[in-house]
Amino acid sequence: MSRSVNRSRWSIVALSCAGAALVAAFVLGPAALLRGRYPQFQDQSVMSELLGRGLVDYWGSGVRTYPPGLAEMVDYWFEWHAIKIVISVLLTAVLGLLAATLWRRSLWRRSLTAGVGCVVAAATTTVLSLFSVFVAVLNIQSTVAPVVALLPMLSADNADGQTAQSLIENGVQSGDSRPPLLELLTQVEHYNWAAIVATAVVIAVVATGTVTAFRLYRSSDTTNGAHCRMFVALGSLGAVMTIAMALLFVAAVVAVVDPGEALLGAVGL
């Protein structure tokens, strides 16, 4: 038993270190990996100006193909979020393993105080794991339609950004059919269809796990407090995650139905 406890302890330490390293990689990794090829995009205020200028040029081009400056920015943002998808998936796996180890350890605890401490640690890690799934979904959206993920960077603080916002607003409200606007609307639809598919998968998996946890709780021995605490905690967290994903799913469906309003929202109008 002591050997299993020691092995569990070292597993917790190793997985915690791996999780911390992946969080640091998530925050710092994309910029570090892409700095060499895209040095001009390392300052977000500069990116905002370049985005405004690129969208104004795009609007004036009258074609669906992005001009070189905007195309390079879209490629950069695609790679940025693709890197984050990989890291967030790895982080979800590490946090999931850590949570499983902590839940298993909580079942070994004979002391109520120690058991509750393990449950709190396991529940917190489970929350972080579910949040990592949520982050992965957002990055999948951004990888599918990086130009839409760039739009919130538009700022009225610079002339090109303000002009781009005005062009998009006037185009949407007037029902303009020029190719650049049609392409942006198409990308908005792709962006939200990606969210619909990803959230549907997550809802199916998490809802199934939630139902299973509550069924196990109902069929478990009520005198076994450790198992009851684990099943209730997992079921409750799964229910919250399912609701959060369902709200994101509904928001994405609404955006697909009315991409014009979604586009205006993306540019801050």
Side-chain angles (χ1 to χ4, degrees):
M1 179 69 173
S2 61
R3 184 176 299 174
S4 297
V5 171
N6 287 334
R7 188 162 58 244
S8 170
R9 184 180 297 119
W10 281 111
S11 296
I12 291 170
V13 171
L15 289 168
S16 298
C17 291
L22 285 169
V23 169
F26 184 87
V27 174
L28 304 173
L33 290 172
L34 300 175
R35 184 176 294 119
R37 288 192 297 124
Y38 301 100
Q40 70 275 34
F41 299 140
Q42 299 309 304
D43 186 334
Q44 190 158 332
S45 62
V46 174
M47 275 191 73
S48 177
E49 293 179 9
L50 293 173
L51 176 62
R53 192 175 310 147
L55 286 170
V56 171
D57 291 344
Y58 182 43
W59 198 269
S61 70
V63 297
R64 295 185 77 133
T65 306
Y66 302 136
L70 182 59
E72 187 175 26
M73 189 176 294
V74 168
D75 289 342
Y76 170 70
W77 214 229
F78 169 83
E79 293 180 35
W80 174 285
H81 287 286
I83 292 169
K84 290 206 166 194
I85 289 173
V86 173
I87 297 172
S88 57
V89 168
L90 291 174
L91 182 59
T92 299
V94 168
L95 290 173
L97 289 172
L98 179 57
T101 304
L102 288 167
W103 283 118
R104 202 160 44 240
R105 190 177 177 86
S106 73
L107 300 179
W108 298 341
R109 294 294 187 177
R110 298 184 183 278
S111 161
L112 178 61
T113 304
V116 170
C118 273
V119 168
V120 170
T124 301
T125 307
T126 303
V127 170
L128 293 175
S129 178
L130 293 173
F131 181 72
S132 184
V133 172
F134 181 77
V135 171
V137 169
L138 297 181
N139 281 285
I140 288 169
Q141 273 187 288
S142 299
T143 304
V144 169
V147 70
V148 178
L150 280 168
L151 293 178
M153 287 190 189
L154 272 180
S155 172
D157 293 339
N158 60 77
D160 287 326
Q162 191 171 20
T163 301
Q165 287 178 326
S166 298
L167 289 171
I168 291 172
E169 182 179 20
N170 293 334
V172 170
Q173 292 179 347
S174 65
D176 199 335
S177 60
R178 69 180 60 213
L181 178 59
L182 295 178
E183 178 61 22
L184 289 177
L185 291 172
T186 299
Q187 290 301 313
V188 167
E189 291 178 356
H190 291 170
Y191 182 82
N192 287 287
W193 271 114
I196 289 170
V197 173
T199 53
V201 171
V202 173
I203 288 169
V205 173
V206 176
T208 300
T210 300
V211 171
T212 301
F214 281 125
R215 280 181 177 172
L216 289 172
Y217 167 71
R218 290 180 62 184
S219 62
S220 64
D221 183 358
T222 55
T223 61
N224 191 331
H227 281 86
C228 288
R229 285 193 298 268
M230 180 179 71
F231 293 140
V232 169
L234 289 173
S236 300
L237 292 173
V240 171
M241 180 66 171
T242 301
I243 292 170
M245 287 289 104
L247 291 174
L248 184 58
F249 179 90
V250 171
V253 170
V254 170
V256 167
V257 171
D258 191 353
E261 280 300 315
L263 178 58
L264 293 178
V267 299
L269 298 172

